[in-house]
Amino acid sequence: MNFENDVGSLQHIVAMELRYQNIMNFIRRPGALGNQDFRNFQDLRRLRELINRQEVAQQVNQPRNERINIDSDILSYQVNEHNKVGVYVTADPLSSENYYFEIEILDLGQIGAIGVGLVPRGYHLDAQPGWRAMSVGYHADDGKLFKSEGFGKPFGPVSQVGDKLGCGIKFSKDDDGETPQQVKVFFTHNRKEIGIVMVQYPPGGLFPAVGMHSEGEEVKLNLDAEWHYNELVLMAVDSGEDEWSRLHDVKLNGSLLEYNGRGKSIHDVGLAQARFPLDTTNHYFEIEIVDPGENCYIAIGVAKKTYPKNRHPGWNKGSIAYHADDGKIFNGSGIGDHFGPRCNKGDVMGCGILFPPDYDSEADSDLSPDDPDVYNDVLADENYSDDDDDDLYDEVEGRPVNGQPPEDGTLVCVFFTCNGKIIGKKPVCIPKGGFYPTVGMLSNCEKVAVDFRPLTG
């Protein structure tokens, strides 16, 4: 049979469907299915599969939209009785050849609730990009980034009429020919890049999407917008520089941190602090001691954003850290407590936070959309499990610690690991603005390799 021609003939399909029903009735009789009938049955099943494949292909290659008016490249919000979100999703996902698109805001409408971003195939058309799983979106009305949830984080400027918002993927060379697990999604505001976020890459890819939610909102969609390829490649080089906000007496060599201070006294601490704080989506990081140097004065921990640059993490208030040379934990003072094993070359030290179930990262953050240091480089994987997790969570329900009422702030549980095993935990109050991954070093030739994403495989 020529199945492609059969699909094109509606009359033949109807006749085949009647034959299908007759055969189905016939084969229900024990021993009634002969060789010829069996071949007819197989032909019919293959034909139905072909029809289904063609219908699916036609749906996949069409843009999808709900509550959006479309006039050529102009998209506008369609007022509806239930005041639902309007969403437009393109027919094709972004690719290494077509990796960027833009919208221009023509009218903010009543509230300017316009979102631009990327969504997976089959995304529900009742949610702004970024509100649901495996999607990400930058929103014009508040300048926040939404990633797989309905709570946004400060990310970029609030937008006005005439502003252009762009979104793209920085495909790396390693992605060619293979499906990447994660990709770097970047956003632009008036042709200037404002930030990057790591996003899981779902089966079928990530599709450009535009969301709206108030009367009068209107944008111009440009799927052929250009972003200079040379600039893209340059920015896609993973030097690790974007991961850090401060490097004091520490130099960066790829993913390696190398101490380059004097190493003569306690005033010569080298400090490296990450650009983004730990949160419920990215709550753990690790370092591997590549070279212990002269004394292995290496520490891993978390600290507030304004932590002194020449103090080991854990020494001052607003920080807590595990030190490799003596296996002690320092919690806001220069006196440490025995905590875990001493670490040396090849050992992997980890630090993470277990947040209470009702933790609200937005309420506990003092960052604003105008903060130039906001850099929301986050992950999709928040599934860190350990046999001790239940015990850890028991200590972050707000009960007094050691009989004393907690300090101002949300109580969380900071835990530390050595070579993949949890060695201890400490309930502490998270400072306003959050806890930032912090590494300290203090003797010549010390080197560590940092992994901000050890839980993603």
Side-chain angles (χ1 to χ4, degrees):
M1 297 176 63
N2 188 326
F3 297 107
E4 283 73 12
N5 291 338
D6 287 336
V7 171
S9 172
L10 179 60
Q11 182 177 4
H12 188 75
I13 291 175
V14 173
M16 293 288 281
E17 286 291 340
L18 292 175
R19 289 176 59 195
Y20 175 81
Q21 294 300 329
N22 291 334
I23 291 175
M24 289 301 295
N25 292 332
F26 179 74
I27 64 174
R28 291 191 181 100
R29 296 160 51 189
L33 187 62
N35 291 336
Q36 183 59 41
D37 292 318
F38 181 77
R39 284 194 295 271
N40 289 338
F41 176 71
Q42 292 290 87
D43 288 345
L44 282 168
R45 188 174 64 179
R46 291 170 59 196
L47 176 60
R48 290 166 71 92
E49 291 176 352
L50 178 62
I51 294 171
N52 291 335
R53 287 200 303 270
Q54 290 200 355
E55 288 177 350
V56 170
Q58 290 175 355
Q59 294 174 2
V60 169
N61 292 329
Q62 295 296 323
R64 300 187 303 126
N65 67 280
E66 290 284 351
R67 296 166 290 277
I68 294 289
N69 295 315
I70 304 172
D71 182 7
S72 184
D73 57 354
I74 306 299
L75 309 179
S76 59
Y77 181 69
Q78 184 180 90
V79 178
N80 59 91
E81 181 180 355
H82 301 289
N83 192 33
K84 289 186 176 181
V85 172
V87 178
Y88 176 90
V89 179
T90 63
D92 300 308
L94 293 185
S95 65
S96 56
E97 293 78 27
N98 184 22
Y99 46 78
Y100 178 74
F101 76 103
E102 281 183 348
I103 63 169
E104 179 182 353
I105 299 177
L106 304 180
D107 196 323
L108 286 171
Q110 293 181 349
I111 60 176
I114 298 170
V116 59
L118 300 173
V119 302
R121 175 176 289 165
Y123 189 75
H124 288 277
L125 300 181
D126 59 357
Q128 287 268 13
W131 284 4
R132 291 182 179 268
M134 292 189 177
S135 71
V136 62
Y138 170 46
H139 291 203
D141 58 325
D142 54 15
K144 290 184 178 181
L145 181 82
F146 291 75
K147 180 177 178 289
S148 301
E149 62 179 356
F151 298 96
K153 298 179 181 179
F155 188 71
V158 175
S159 299
Q160 306 296 330
V161 172
D163 285 347
K164 293 183 178 180
L165 309 182
C167 178
I169 298 177
K170 295 183 177 181
F171 289 99
S172 67
K173 291 183 179 180
D174 294 338
D175 297 336
D176 292 342
E178 296 184 5
T179 301
Q181 292 184 344
Q182 297 179 28
V183 289
K184 289 183 178 180
V185 175
F186 68 97
F187 290 90
T188 64
H189 183 269
N190 292 330
R191 305 293 292 173
K192 180 180 179 181
E193 185 179 321
I194 56 174
I196 303 172
V197 57
M198 296 299 297
V199 177
Q200 277 186 307
Y201 195 75
L206 289 166
F207 293 71
V210 179
M212 302 182 197
H213 205 184
S214 75
E215 183 176 0
E217 293 173 355
E218 187 175 73
V219 304
K220 182 178 181 180
L221 176 65
N222 184 2
L223 296 176
D224 297 320
E226 294 184 0
W227 187 263
H228 297 299
Y229 185 76
N230 289 337
E231 183 178 5
L232 181 71
V233 172
L234 178 62
M235 291 186 295
V237 175
D238 189 10
S239 65
E241 294 180 1
D242 288 339
E243 306 279 11
W244 302 96
S245 64
R246 289 194 294 164
L247 295 172
H248 172 71
D249 281 347
V250 173
K251 67 178 181 179
L252 184 64
N253 183 8
S255 63
L256 290 181
L257 294 176
E258 303 178 2
Y259 178 72
N260 66 348
R262 296 193 310 158
K264 301 296 183 181
S265 71
I266 62 172
H267 301 292
D268 297 326
V269 169
L271 191 82
Q273 189 172 67
R275 187 177 294 273
F276 52 89
L278 295 181
D279 58 22
T280 54
T281 59
N282 184 25
H283 69 283
Y284 176 73
F285 76 107
E286 290 179 340
I287 63 172
E288 178 183 354
I289 300 176
V290 177
D291 191 332
E294 293 180 357
N295 300 299
C296 200
Y297 290 153
I298 296 170
I300 181 175
V302 288
K304 61 184 180 181
K305 188 175 183 179
T306 56
Y307 192 75
K309 64 181 181 180
N310 60 347
R311 299 289 288 171
H312 247 319
W315 284 0
N316 287 38
K317 186 177 180 181
S319 71
I320 182 171
Y322 171 39
H323 288 224
D325 62 311
D326 53 14
K328 291 184 178 180
I329 185 174
F330 289 77
N331 186 14
S333 73
I335 301 175
D337 297 323
H338 290 289
F339 189 72
R342 296 181 179 183
C343 298
N344 214 309
K345 183 175 182 179
D347 286 331
V348 176
M349 306 168 69
C351 176
I353 300 177
L354 287 169
F355 296 90
D358 58 349
Y359 181 76
D360 185 348
S361 59
E362 177 126 346
D364 287 297
S365 175
D366 61 358
L367 299 175
S368 69
D370 299 323
D371 190 335
D373 290 329
V374 170
Y375 181 93
N376 291 302
D377 186 7
V378 297
L379 297 177
D381 193 347
E382 59 179 352
N383 299 316
Y384 182 82
S385 62
D386 189 273
D387 293 338
D388 296 332
D389 277 5
D390 292 338
D391 296 334
L392 294 173
Y393 273 116
D394 287 341
E395 298 190 56
V396 294
E397 296 294 338
R399 293 190 294 275
V401 181
N402 298 326
Q404 300 296 323
E407 302 175 13
D408 291 338
T410 301
L411 194 67
V412 299
C413 190
V414 176
F415 65 95
F416 294 92
T417 67
C418 181
N419 296 324
K421 298 183 65 175
I422 290 181
I423 56 172
K425 65 271 187 182
K426 192 79 172 179
V428 296
C429 289
I430 194 167
K432 199 70 175 174
F435 266 137
Y436 290 73
T438 306
V439 177
M441 294 186 277
L442 189 54
S443 72
N444 293 328
C445 300
E446 291 173 349
K447 297 179 184 179
V448 299
V450 182
D451 187 355
F452 284 117
R453 293 171 265 279
L455 306 183
T456 62

